[in-house]
Amino acid sequence: MYILEEPRGRAYEGLISMAFRVCDEFILVKKDQLTLTPAMEALSEQLKPYVKTVKKQDAWPGTQLFGHYADVYYFDCQPPLEKLILESADGLYDWVWPNLLEDLCFFKGSQPWLVNIAHEHEAWIKTDDREEILQFRGIEGLMVY
């Protein structure tokens, strides 16, 4: 596991572009107790045509809820969504209510690859693939521990 200091700007762009190349799926979350703000509604409308499925869940990578649920939106990694994700935020921890849907996480073959707990300012990459490690270590400005 490789812990990330928040990628912002070019580091965020590089990480998201790599995630779209390496992974096949990603999620965004809307907790039941939180209302959609106008900014979240606008993003939701742009995402709507690409939603693969929505599941009511009390857990997703890095998060366990107690006593309530969230709508977890699943998407396939595809170019129009990469552009939208890059245009919607300037940093990984921007994916938090009230401005955006929460906890942008990526999966490679159903396994968590990039885990993001935005409101906690925690994120990590889970891989032992040497080529991937070399790639993300080569992203300008990305701080990995």
Side-chain angles (χ1 to χ4, degrees):
M1 179 168 63
Y2 297 86
I3 298 171
L4 302 176
E5 187 173 301
E6 184 189 17
R8 298 203 60 77
R10 292 180 75 178
Y12 172 73
E13 292 170 12
L15 178 63
I16 296 303
S17 292
M18 180 180 175
F20 271 87
R21 283 191 315 273
V22 169
C23 298
D24 45 21
E25 184 176 60
F26 71 94
I27 62 167
L28 288 166
V29 178
K30 188 228 167 254
K31 293 180 187 151
D32 283 352
Q33 74 275 23
L34 302 177
T35 58
L36 283 176
T37 63
M40 288 172 68
E41 280 190 47
L43 176 62
S44 294
E45 280 302 310
Q46 290 179 287
L47 291 168
K48 190 183 275 185
Y50 300 101
V51 174
K52 183 166 61 172
T53 189
V54 181
K55 297 179 185 177
K56 279 278 188 222
Q57 297 178 210
D58 63 356
W60 55 92
T63 301
Q64 174 68 58
L65 301 177
F66 297 97
H68 56 277
Y69 290 84
D71 291 327
V72 180
Y73 296 85
Y74 288 80
F75 303 88
D76 288 326
C77 290
Q78 49 186 301
L81 288 170
E82 178 180 355
K83 184 177 187 303
L84 184 57
I85 295 299
L86 288 171
E87 290 174 348
S88 296
D90 190 49
L92 192 58
Y93 301 155
D94 290 350
W95 290 98
V96 66
W97 186 87
N99 295 321
L100 294 170
L101 296 169
E102 299 195 306
D103 293 349
L104 173 66
C105 294
F106 285 85
F107 296 83
K108 179 182 176 186
S110 79
Q111 295 300 310
W113 186 84
L114 172 60
V115 176
N116 175 25
I117 313 162
H119 72 280
E120 297 285 342
H121 290 224
E122 291 182 27
W124 59 87
I125 295 173
K126 294 175 77 172
T127 185
D128 57 5
D129 182 300
R130 183 166 168 68
E131 185 60 34
E132 290 173 11
I133 294 166
L134 291 172
Q135 283 180 46
F136 70 69
R137 288 192 177 271
I139 295 172
E140 182 181 341
L142 186 65
M143 305 297 289
V144 181
Y145 305 98

